[in-house]
Amino acid sequence: MRAAARTAGYDLEPHRARQLRAADLRDYDLVLAMDRDNLREIERLKSTASTAHIDLLLPWAGVDEPAEFPDPYYGDEAGFTASVALVERGIQGLLERLRRESSGA
């Protein structure tokens, strides 16, 4: 993934993943999952103190298909390249939706 991202102009080296914590569902307004398995795990962390809106990234961001982000891990290089393009579409849709909602449109 790092190589495919680098080819598209993104440097992922400074970024590191971490486990989502229950506190994140209180501290953040929006938590988006890549697939339904992740979504179920996030929903298990919910408590009465949780205030975050939880959803799948792609549909929430206006990407109709696919609903879930495909895992390119077991495929070839083309799958990683397609993943970069798909996340670009998803993030573009996410930004457009956030801008629209923040402006009240």
Side-chain angles (χ1 to χ4, degrees):
M1 192 62 178
R2 288 187 304 228
R6 190 177 319 107
T7 298
Y10 304 103
D11 179 12
L12 300 182
E13 291 304 318
H15 302 283
R16 295 293 176 259
R18 69 163 175 84
Q19 284 297 140
L20 190 71
R21 298 180 292 253
D24 294 332
L25 301 179
R26 291 187 315 270
D27 296 342
Y28 299 105
D29 297 326
L30 179 64
V31 176
L32 298 172
M34 300 301 271
D35 60 41
R36 286 185 180 88
D37 288 338
N38 293 148
L39 186 61
R40 276 190 294 278
E41 292 300 317
I42 294 168
E43 288 177 341
R44 284 185 193 167
L45 291 175
K46 280 175 53 174
S47 71
T48 57
S50 299
T51 57
H53 178 85
I54 301 167
D55 210 340
L56 287 171
L57 166 65
L58 294 175
W60 197 88
V63 175
D64 294 327
E65 289 293 326
E68 296 182 272
F69 202 91
D71 185 351
Y73 187 77
Y74 297 104
D76 58 14
E77 187 177 322
F80 289 96
T81 301
S83 290
V84 170
L86 182 56
V87 82
E88 286 176 326
R89 278 181 45 214
I91 297 304
Q92 179 181 350
L94 172 66
L95 292 173
E96 288 170 7
R97 181 169 179 173
L98 292 172
R99 284 183 188 119
R100 203 172 42 249
E101 288 184 5
S102 71
S103 71

